[in-house]
Amino acid sequence: HSYWQADAYNYFKINVEKLFDSRYDDFIDYLNSKTNKELEDFWFFVLNGPHPINNRHLNFIIRLQEDNQERQIRIIEKVMNRIKTDS
């Protein structure tokens, strides 16, 4: 598992956000090729941080819902519950 820390991880997270916006279809195709466990780890990394579930994250979720990415949404819900529990 990866956890947010005040180091280079934040640069990776910023670039993930940019990739999500600029190459959404490719990004989703790539994510959909991963196992549920890999997706849980990925979304935990993306969503966890000093300000979990911020407006940027909500935009991810809204876009995934609009695109009917049910598997991604289910996994994100699971991860959000885990983040709340860990907090």
Side-chain angles (χ1 to χ4, degrees), residues 36 39-44 46-48 52-53 57-58 60-62 64-66 68-86:
N36 285 358
L39 288 172
E40 286 177 33
D41 290 345
F42 170 78
W43 286 115
F44 184 84
V46 169
L47 299 174
N48 191 33
I53 320 304
H57 301 146
L58 292 175
F60 287 161
I61 295 165
I62 290 167
L64 291 167
Q65 287 174 326
E66 290 173 347
N68 294 316
Q69 293 291 330
E70 294 177 19
R71 179 173 171 235
Q72 299 296 330
I73 296 298
R74 259 193 331 274
I75 290 171
I76 288 171
E77 288 173 349
K78 183 176 180 180
V79 168
M80 288 170 54
N81 287 330
R82 186 171 138 208
I83 290 170
K84 289 177 191 175
T85 302
D86 288 351

Side-chain angles (χ1 to χ4, degrees), residues 7-22:
D7 55 22
Y9 286 111
N10 61 327
Y11 293 111
F12 179 72
K13 289 175 98 170
I14 289 167
N15 286 316
V16 165
E17 292 173 2
K18 289 179 183 177
L19 187 62
F20 186 87
D21 286 335
S22 66

